[in-house]
Amino acid sequence: MIRVTIWYEYVQESGELREEFLPKDMSKEQKAGFQEFVKNISERIRSVYPHGVMGTVAEHLKTCEDMQVTSVNMYMPEYGLPDQLLNETDVLIWWAHVAHDAIPDQLAEKIRDRVWKGMGFIPLHSAHPCKPLKALLGTSGSLRWREGDFCRVWNINPTHPIAQGIPESFELEEEEMYGEFFDIPKPDDLLFLSWYRGGEVFRSGCIWNRGYGKIFYFQPGHETSPSYHNPYVKKIIENAVRWAAPVMWRENLDCPNVLEAPEDKYRN
Ligand code: ZN
């Protein structure tokens, strides 16, 4: 059984922004404007995802007999991810947007360390600059963006396990445009490439190995676009969970030097 934890930022959907999740240097006016934005967008999200953005993904993964799904969010104690849950997670899915900085550095480092030891990590859509991914990749994750465009997702690596059951390309009538330059280290492999009506292209499905862990970043999933209802998007996330599930664990992996060298049979 693959133990999947879906972590969701929840700020926009909650309709209220807690003081502790706001940047410390925000003025009173900026805070008021931000609160208003969050209040308005929560209604738009509910109209597209009545069970929540990640609720839709959780509903799909719960239909997979080989997965045990736990859904948490940042408004829960310990930011929804206490040590025990993190240590019992095989694959962590992460959706975040407006409060990346609210996550303590220490938690991001724990996630990074867990990936090094073998946990799979799947940051979705606006999680591109989230702290755990930055800690793993070492780059900003910045990109160009524009709301609401037609998107065609090209399957450019059809033999990869994550691409199984996915056609040559599929269409998303409305998705947020993410464009290059996407500030990431060169992926270990590129699975999907998105094209937008505005002419932009984007590396929308990228994988990396870090330590014994596998990472898959996937672009579709703007909170007011219906992408998570798309059967191919659901299938890709399902495939990615199976691909990212750990094949072995190294509980004491502090650095590669801890691995014991085999006896040198050829000396003398
Ligand atoms: Zn978005």
Side-chain angles (χ1 to χ4, degrees), residues 12 95-97 125-126 128 145 147 175-178 219 221-225:
Q12 292 170 304
W95 196 104
H97 182 208
H125 187 62
S126 44
H128 60 90
W145 63 276
E147 265 199 61
E175 180 49 76
E176 187 171 30
M177 186 286 289
Y178 276 10
Q219 191 273 344
H222 185 60
E223 64 272 20
T224 54
S225 303

Side-chain angles (χ1 to χ4, degrees), residues 151-244:
C151 174
R152 181 181 294 279
V153 181
W154 286 94
N155 175 2
I156 60 169
N157 204 332
T159 62
H160 194 277
I162 295 179
Q164 296 318 294
I166 307 304
E168 182 182 72
S169 75
F170 63 92
E171 298 173 356
L172 300 171
E173 276 304 315
E174 189 203 293
E175 180 49 76
E176 187 171 30
M177 186 286 289
Y178 276 10
E180 300 286 343
F181 175 64
F182 184 17
D183 184 20
I184 47 171
K186 200 175 280 186
D188 291 335
D189 216 340
L190 196 52
L191 312 190
F192 301 102
L193 186 67
S194 290
W195 173 90
Y196 299 88
R197 212 193 307 269
E200 300 90 349
V201 292
F202 185 69
R203 292 170 288 172
S204 53
C206 305
I207 60 173
W208 298 268
N209 287 272
R210 288 292 184 270
Y212 290 86
K214 299 182 203 167
I215 303 163
F216 174 58
Y217 170 78
F218 190 43
Q219 191 273 344
H222 185 60
E223 64 272 20
T224 54
S225 303
S227 299
Y228 292 129
H229 296 301
N230 181 289
Y232 299 126
V233 170
K234 288 184 200 179
K235 183 68 180 160
I236 287 168
I237 295 171
E238 175 193 326
N239 288 346
V241 167
R242 293 199 185 95
W243 169 81

Side-chain angles (χ1 to χ4, degrees), residues 39-170:
K39 193 165 161 281
N40 291 338
I41 203 161
S42 66
E43 287 164 23
R44 288 176 57 204
I45 295 171
R46 290 282 170 189
S47 69
V48 182
Y49 295 111
H51 302 126
V53 175
M54 281 299 99
T56 308
V57 173
E59 278 166 19
H60 175 70
L61 296 183
K62 280 176 182 169
T63 66
C64 302
E65 286 180 357
D66 56 343
M67 296 181 198
Q68 178 189 311
V69 181
T70 305
S71 296
V72 295
N73 68 60
M74 189 169 72
Y75 282 38
M76 293 174 166
E78 299 187 59
Y79 300 86
L81 210 51
D83 287 352
Q84 193 185 346
L85 178 60
L86 182 61
N87 292 335
E88 291 174 357
T89 295
D90 296 323
V91 178
L92 178 63
I93 295 177
W94 193 271
W95 196 104
H97 182 208
V98 295
H100 297 300
D101 288 342
I103 293 299
D105 292 345
Q106 206 189 9
L107 177 57
E109 286 161 13
K110 279 183 197 170
I111 294 165
R112 177 202 62 195
D113 292 357
R114 180 88 177 146
V115 171
W116 283 350
K117 289 176 182 177
M119 181 181 76
F121 185 52
I122 305 178
L124 296 173
H125 187 62
S126 44
H128 60 90
C130 71
K131 279 190 183 180
L133 188 62
K134 288 202 285 192
L136 284 157
L137 299 184
T139 56
S140 71
S142 67
L143 45 79
R144 296 169 65 240
W145 63 276
R146 171 164 50 72
E147 265 199 61
D149 201 348
F150 169 87
C151 174
R152 181 181 294 279
V153 181
W154 286 94
N155 175 2
I156 60 169
N157 204 332
T159 62
H160 194 277
I162 295 179
Q164 296 318 294
I166 307 304
E168 182 182 72
S169 75
F170 63 92

